[in-house]
Amino acid sequence: MQIAAVTPTVIHNVPRHGEAGTVPRPSPDGVEESIEAVDKVAEKPDGGTRTTHRTAASPEQQLSPEQQREVQQLQNRDREVKAHEAAHMAAAAGLVRGGMSFSYQTGPDGRRYAVGGEVSIDSSAVAGDPQATIEKARQIQAAALAPAEPSGQDRAVAASAARMAAEARVELIEQRRAEADESPVNVSTRSALDAYRSEARPDQASVLDQTV
């Protein structure tokens, strides 16, 4: 899901939520004056006091219907992005490098909402241990496809992990044949293994993401 960039709308002289502001009030002589939008104690003509209560409107109440719809879209996007990255984090336990990172957009209400995010994971093969590499590849695939709606980048990481697992199986077959002192690995198997070794990187990372 994508949300077009929303330019923050500046409403002048409007207090933010929780801050004191001013509201106009006509005076007896017809001149408009301002009073604080909080409890205010004023003197009565007889020397006593009276309390005037004014409540400032919340930012949501001050937005136009169109701006309120934009805020709702951003709130939905924020929840979606954070849930997406949390699913990656949970499934990639032990492989995560750093943690979740997000990109934000400021809404018409002045608040920041997450509209994109990513999780970096270790996706390198386990040197000298094809069985461990196969198991790791399975976890990478599970982490990449954990969200309800994986992104294109997520699917690419899962496909790369599947290839790494297949290549590790070739290496595992060779190891077992060598240990059993069986016949040499055939030419096609040897070629696949050589290709795997030439492309393997000892320290490789992949990014699982949810972008705008």
Side-chain angles (χ1 to χ4, degrees):
M1 177 179 70
Q2 297 190 355
I3 296 180
V6 179
T7 303
T9 302
V10 179
I11 304 176
H12 297 288
N13 298 325
V14 177
R16 292 187 176 183
H17 185 62
E19 297 178 345
T22 61
V23 294
R25 183 184 68 178
S27 63
D29 57 2
V31 179
E32 187 176 77
E33 62 178 344
S34 295
I35 61 172
E36 286 189 355
V38 294
D39 287 347
K40 179 179 178 181
V41 178
E43 293 185 358
K44 289 184 177 180
D46 59 3
T49 60
R50 62 185 175 85
T51 300
T52 302
H53 182 72
R54 296 290 186 273
T55 302
S58 66
E60 290 80 2
Q61 293 173 328
Q62 297 160 358
L63 300 177
S64 68
E66 181 179 356
Q67 290 172 325
Q68 290 176 1
R69 285 193 294 271
E70 291 173 358
V71 168
Q72 184 62 56
Q73 285 181 310
L74 288 169
Q75 289 174 340
N76 292 341
R77 179 63 178 178
D78 183 272
R79 287 191 294 269
E80 175 189 337
V81 167
K82 290 177 179 176
H84 184 107
E85 303 309 332
H88 284 319
M89 286 284 291
L95 301 179
V96 177
R97 291 183 171 182
M100 298 182 289
S101 65
F102 300 99
S103 56
Y104 294 89
Q105 180 174 315
T106 301
D109 57 352
R111 295 186 174 91
R112 296 203 314 159
Y113 298 94
V115 293
E118 65 180 37
V119 172
S120 180
I121 65 171
D122 175 11
S123 58
S124 60
V126 180
D129 193 339
Q131 183 60 53
T133 296
I134 293 170
E135 294 170 1
K136 184 176 180 179
R138 288 172 180 164
Q139 185 180 2
I140 293 170
Q141 284 182 285
L145 302 177
E149 297 183 9
S151 68
Q153 172 67 11
D154 297 338
R155 295 184 185 280
V157 170
S160 178
R163 288 193 298 272
M164 183 171 73
E167 291 159 350
R169 290 189 186 98
V170 173
E171 185 175 2
L172 184 61
I173 290 171
E174 182 188 53
Q175 280 187 357
R176 289 175 176 174
R177 283 180 174 175
E179 290 170 358
D181 195 24
E182 295 180 353
S183 60
V185 179
N186 61 45
V187 175
S188 61
T189 302
R190 171 67 68 182
S191 298
L193 180 59
D194 289 343
Y196 164 67
R197 287 173 171 169
S198 65
E199 295 178 1
R201 294 173 175 78
D203 185 20
Q204 182 177 350
S206 295
V207 174
L208 305 173
D209 71 353
Q210 171 72 13
T211 56
V212 180

